[in-house]
Amino acid sequence: MVRSKPPSKKPNRGVDFKKIKRKIGKKLPPPKNQTNTEIKSKAIVLPEQSVASERSGMAVNKKGLTLRELLQQTSHHNAKIRKVALNGIRDLVLKHPSELKLQKLSIIEKLRERISDSDKLVRETLYNLLKTVIFPSLKEEFTGSMISMMMAYVFNAMTHIAIDIRLMAFKFFELIVISFPSSFLLYAEKVLDNYVDILKNNQIYLQDKSKLKSVLAGLVRCLSLLVDREDILSNETKILEHECLHSFEVELPKDHSGMPSVLKRIEDLVPLLVNSFHDSALSIQAMPVIDGQSFDCILYTLQNINMAVKVVVDEINRPHMSHEFSSILPSNGNKLMPNTMLMYLKKLGDSFPVGKIYHSAEKEGERFFILNLGITEIFLHLITWIDDPNLFEKLLHFIETLLLKQGSRNLSATKTILEKQLVSIISLFPRIVAVSGGWRLRLLEAFTTAFRNCKVESTHCLAYLAAIEEMLKDDSAFKSCDPDMLSYQIVWLQELPNLLLKLGDRHPPLSKIHLLMGYHFQVILKLLLQIGQCSPQNSPLASEYNCLQWRLKEFYGTQVIAGPVNYGPFIKLPTDCQELSICCLYYFSSLNPDLLQSITFCCLCNHLEPSVLLRIIEVLESAFRAAHLPISDYIGFLVTLIARFKVYPGLNTEL
């Protein structure tokens, strides 16, 4: 047998960790080394906070931000916060207008930085803020230094690498010159350089028609200011100050009157515009239907060419043209015109007329009609330089067709055509007639037909009257022995009383004449007075002037036997128009008793101002002394007034 080993005995040792038996369901006690993280505090109540005390009495917007904080946020890296800050400035300025007056320099200095903002919404928000709040509120206080602060950033944006920022810069420039027109004359050269640059690369930058339209529309506004530069310079003082306030310098043009450098830029601009028109004309003629964007672009292009030509022609016709500009102009007979412009404008003439305006669909025909009207206006300014008989014939034929179609009122385009273009063509008619040669009688006939059929309250009627006045302004027009011209002058004269009566029919009896209609009356009466003053005695025109008395009875007042008096437009005219119509009476070589009776009806009307009544008496006395009024008729007129107002010797009676 094997002997088993005896069990080994373990030595007794001390217990390091006493094992505690836990009962199930009982919560364990916390460890002895646990850290107590519980914090106990009492609420601190302050009577007011320091931030609130600092803002008391300060101007804040709806969110409680001050102007300083909002201006700081306009430079925030987040575009959304920049936009919100600009809207906050709007709220604050509208709520506290005095803040804008006090802090205008700081506001302009900070806002101008957003002109080149990378975010489109921020730029548009800034544009609306300037347009609707800042510029209108600072209209009288916007100094030249503030404009120069804005312009520096505008021109910087015009050279930005991003095309959207460049295009938006033109809109900012347009906004400034609309608000402060005389500022354009100081920056014209620089902005035209930028327009030339962007139009040279229009295939790269302006493939989108909406972008091209925006650029061309802004250029129209700028060139129109050049056309009206004389009025701007005479009505406004120079806006820009010669002192600069900040870290940049502004170079002011030395010559505002001759503008030789500006005219050189225009000479560079015209070829670009003509090429743009030529390309657009080819594309729209290939379209089955002209889209609105393309039509607007080509129309703006024509308007820009027209404005540019007007600026150059006006400068050429100046009595004292700038020597610097005249030195670059080649002579053309006794006239001057840049050869480059003429060469490209002849290219424009080769494309006239655009489209088939008489065979197209109605809407498309109207659009082509408007475009051809624009081309015609351009060449009417250049009528002295047109040496192409074929082009001249086409222009005169188009003008005759225009007048005849308008006179017959069967051209639907007259309802939608640009009013300003048509008025411009009519205003240039005297210049057309002077050089029309064999077309003279045809054009006069078409002009007279259109004049007799135009609406009396329209601006077209005013344009016709201005053209007639221009053709009669020279004394030789009244002494002309040309029977053809005399016949048309008589027709124009006979139409004037009809226009007065048509205007009077637009208002109920004894009602006040509207201001616009009052101007129409004034133009007609001035022309009537001019003819009466300038017509030689015993001439055919003077005889026709005397025959107007029969029609003018209705203008003053008529009465059916034993019936009430029907007062004409005279009673309700403004005082200046009444004065003109009274002066016309003196130039009738023999005042008709029937017309004198009509005038007497007006004198007895309670609505006639006493001063006007006294003026009628003065003019009729002068007519009597000049042997234009028989003594019996004059005495009868005075007796009627004495009986009506019950005048007795020694009795002072107020009329």
Side-chain angles (χ1 to χ4, degrees):
M1 289 180 67
V2 180
R3 186 181 292 180
S4 61
K5 292 183 180 181
S8 61
K9 295 182 179 180
K10 293 182 180 180
N12 293 329
R13 298 178 182 177
V15 179
D16 293 333
F17 300 98
K18 187 178 180 180
K19 187 175 180 180
I20 301 174
K21 292 184 177 182
R22 305 295 184 188
K23 294 183 178 180
I24 298 174
K26 296 293 183 179
K27 185 178 181 181
L28 295 176
K32 292 180 180 181
N33 61 346
Q34 180 182 2
T35 303
N36 186 10
T37 59
E38 183 179 359
I39 298 176
K40 295 182 179 180
S41 64
K42 293 183 179 180
I44 300 175
V45 180
L46 298 176
E48 63 178 5
Q49 294 190 17
S50 59
V51 177
S53 63
E54 291 177 2
R55 294 175 182 270
S56 61
M58 297 182 66
V60 296
N61 70 338
K62 294 177 181 179
K63 295 185 178 181
L65 298 175
T66 63
L67 179 61
R68 181 180 179 182
E69 293 170 335
L70 291 169
L71 290 176
Q72 289 175 347
Q73 289 184 5
T74 58
S75 301
H76 198 275
H77 64 86
N78 190 311
K80 184 177 180 180
I81 293 178
R82 296 197 299 271
K83 178 185 173 183
V84 171
L86 292 174
N87 288 326
I89 293 173
R90 172 197 292 273
D91 296 337
L92 189 145
V93 169
L94 292 176
K95 188 178 180 181
H96 304 280
S98 59
E99 286 294 304
L100 179 60
K101 306 288 185 181
L102 296 173
Q103 304 292 334
K104 54 181 179 290
L105 285 175
S106 301
I107 293 174
I108 295 299
E109 186 176 11
K110 200 67 179 174
L111 292 182
R112 62 181 182 164
E113 298 174 0
R114 298 301 102 216
I115 292 176
S116 299
D117 197 282
S118 58
D119 188 81
K120 179 180 178 181
L121 293 178
V122 174
R123 296 195 303 270
E124 291 178 348
T125 304
L126 173 63
Y127 180 87
N128 292 327
L129 174 62
L130 294 174
K131 181 179 180 180
T132 59
V133 179
I134 304 297
F135 287 168
S137 301
L138 295 177
K139 188 71 175 178
E140 304 297 330
E141 302 180 25
F142 214 85
T143 61
S145 59
M146 296 170 68
I147 292 178
S148 63
M149 291 166 61
M150 295 287 296
M151 287 297 190
Y153 278 75
V154 168
F155 287 122
N156 182 56
M158 285 183 181
T159 58
H160 200 278
I161 191 172
I163 184 60
D164 289 338
I165 295 178
R166 294 182 67 178
L167 296 179
M168 193 68 187
F170 286 104
K171 291 189 65 177
F172 279 110
F173 181 84
E174 183 183 357
L175 176 61
I176 294 173
V177 299
I178 288 175
S179 303
F180 313 100
S182 59
S183 63
F184 173 73
L185 302 178
L186 299 165
Y187 298 99
E189 180 182 353
K190 189 176 290 188
V191 74
L192 289 178
D193 277 337
N194 284 283
Y195 272 116
V196 169
D197 179 65
I198 201 165
L199 288 174
K200 277 183 179 178
N201 302 286
N202 64 342
Q203 299 297 331
I204 301 174
Y205 298 138
L206 305 176
Q207 291 182 353
D208 185 354
K209 292 294 184 182
S210 62
K211 294 179 179 179
L212 178 60
K213 176 183 174 182
S214 176
V215 171
L216 293 173
L219 184 57
V220 167
R221 179 62 187 174
C222 293
L223 292 178
S224 66
L225 291 174
L226 277 178
V227 172
D228 301 330
R229 64 189 181 279
E230 295 297 332
D231 294 334
I232 294 172
L233 288 174
S234 61
N235 296 335
E236 296 185 22
T237 57
K238 292 181 180 179
I239 289 183
L240 291 184
E241 301 172 353
H242 295 282
E243 178 183 359
C244 295
L245 301 180
H246 295 276
S247 58
F248 59 89
E249 295 182 359
V250 179
E251 297 180 359
L252 297 178
K254 297 178 180 179
D255 183 12
H256 297 307
S257 56
M259 301 186 304
S261 56
V262 172
L263 292 167
K264 291 178 183 177
R265 269 57 180 187
I266 291 178
E267 188 178 354
D268 295 336
L269 193 62
V270 168
L272 298 174
L273 293 170
V274 172
N275 286 335
S276 175
F277 171 81
H278 191 263
D279 295 340
S280 300
L282 292 176
S283 63
I284 66 171
Q285 291 188 73
M287 296 179 182
V289 178
I290 306 175
D291 64 278
Q293 293 277 14
S294 299
F295 175 74
D296 291 340
C297 288
I298 194 170
L299 184 59
Y300 280 132
T301 303
L302 283 177
Q303 291 176 1
N304 280 308
I305 297 172
N306 183 42
M307 294 288 181
V309 168
K310 287 178 69 176
V311 171
V312 175
V313 171
D314 289 346
E315 188 65 21
I316 290 173
N317 293 330
R318 261 182 187 280
H320 306 289
M321 184 173 49
S322 168
H323 174 72
E324 183 179 352
F325 180 59
S326 62
S327 63
I328 67 170
L329 297 177
S331 62
N332 182 8
N334 295 323
K335 299 290 183 179
L336 300 169
M337 174 61 67
N339 274 338
T340 306
M341 283 185 59
L342 281 177
M343 180 179 67
Y344 278 90
L345 290 171
K346 287 178 181 178
K347 181 180 178 181
L348 177 65
D350 293 339
S351 62
F352 178 81
V354 179
K356 300 177 180 179
I357 59 176
Y358 306 116
H359 303 286
S360 302
E362 182 177 349
K363 186 175 181 180
E364 302 306 305
E366 290 179 6
R367 286 180 166 177
F368 282 123
F369 186 88
I370 293 173
L371 296 179
N372 286 302
L373 190 58
I375 298 174
T376 303
E377 184 181 357
I378 292 169
F379 282 101
L380 289 182
H381 295 297
L382 297 168
I383 201 164
T384 308
W385 292 274
I386 297 177
D387 55 2
D388 183 356
N390 184 37
L391 174 60
F392 194 64
E393 286 279 325
K394 290 191 293 183
L395 290 171
L396 295 180
H397 177 68
F398 179 80
I399 293 170
E400 182 192 26
T401 304
L402 164 68
L403 294 173
L404 289 176
K405 293 292 183 180
Q406 190 198 9
S408 62
R409 297 183 182 178
N410 61 5
L411 183 64
S412 58
T414 57
K415 300 177 182 178
T416 57
I417 199 166
L418 295 178
E419 195 85 3
K420 189 176 180 180
Q421 280 186 298
L422 188 55
V423 168
S424 298
I425 297 292
I426 299 170
S427 64
L428 293 170
F429 187 78
R431 190 184 304 178
I432 303 169
V433 171
V435 296
S436 56
W439 282 80
R440 182 166 174 262
L441 293 181
R442 293 175 60 175
L443 291 176
L444 285 171
E445 180 65 29
F447 175 86
T448 304
T449 302
F451 170 57
R452 297 178 70 177
N453 290 293
C454 73
K455 294 182 179 179
V456 68
E457 69 275 7
S458 67
T459 54
H460 295 164
C461 183
L462 292 177
Y464 284 118
L465 292 169
I468 292 172
E469 183 181 5
E470 181 72 19
M471 287 186 281
L472 295 176
K473 188 163 57 176
D474 190 2
D475 290 340
S476 61
F478 295 97
K479 300 175 183 178
S480 175
C481 298
D482 184 355
D484 296 321
M485 189 65 183
L486 179 62
S487 64
Y488 289 112
Q489 291 175 352
I490 290 174
V491 173
W492 301 337
L493 177 60
Q494 292 172 344
E495 191 63 25
L496 297 182
N498 297 333
L499 295 179
L500 293 173
L501 296 178
K502 288 178 182 178
L503 281 173
D505 291 340
R506 300 293 188 272
H507 300 270
L510 302 179
S511 66
K512 290 295 182 182
I513 294 290
H514 189 270
L515 181 61
L516 180 60
M517 292 297 102
Y519 180 70
H520 281 69
F521 273 109
Q522 188 179 45
V523 171
I524 297 170
L525 290 169
K526 277 185 177 180
L527 180 56
L528 194 61
L529 180 60
Q530 177 188 346
I531 296 174
Q533 290 172 333
C534 299
S535 298
Q537 192 174 6
N538 299 323
S539 66
L541 205 58
S543 300
E544 289 298 329
Y545 184 80
N546 282 321
C547 294
L548 298 180
Q549 297 183 66
W550 179 259
R551 290 290 293 154
L552 288 175
K553 288 193 306 177
E554 299 178 40
F555 174 71
Y556 292 97
T558 56
Q559 183 183 29
V560 182
I561 298 176
V565 176
N566 296 319
Y567 293 106
F570 173 80
I571 290 294
K572 51 194 173 182
L573 286 178
T575 306
D576 55 346
C577 294
Q578 290 178 329
E579 170 68 20
L580 289 171
S581 60
I582 294 170
C583 291
C584 290
L585 300 175
Y586 176 80
Y587 296 99
F588 292 119
S589 59
S590 179
L591 201 59
N592 192 291
D594 292 332
L595 180 60
L596 183 61
Q597 184 183 35
S598 298
I599 298 168
T600 306
F601 291 148
C602 295
C603 293
L604 302 180
C605 179
N606 294 328
H607 296 278
L608 190 69
E609 293 291 332
S611 59
V612 178
L613 173 57
L614 292 175
R615 182 61 179 152
I616 292 175
I617 296 173
E618 290 176 1
V619 171
L620 290 181
E621 181 183 2
S622 300
F624 166 69
R625 293 181 181 278
H628 297 170
L629 179 62
I631 186 172
S632 57
D633 293 342
Y634 181 57
I635 292 176
F637 169 75
L638 295 178
V639 169
T640 303
L641 294 186
I642 291 172
R644 166 64 176 82
F645 295 107
K646 300 179 181 179
V647 180
Y648 299 98
L651 177 65
N652 292 328
T653 302
E654 293 186 2
L655 296 178

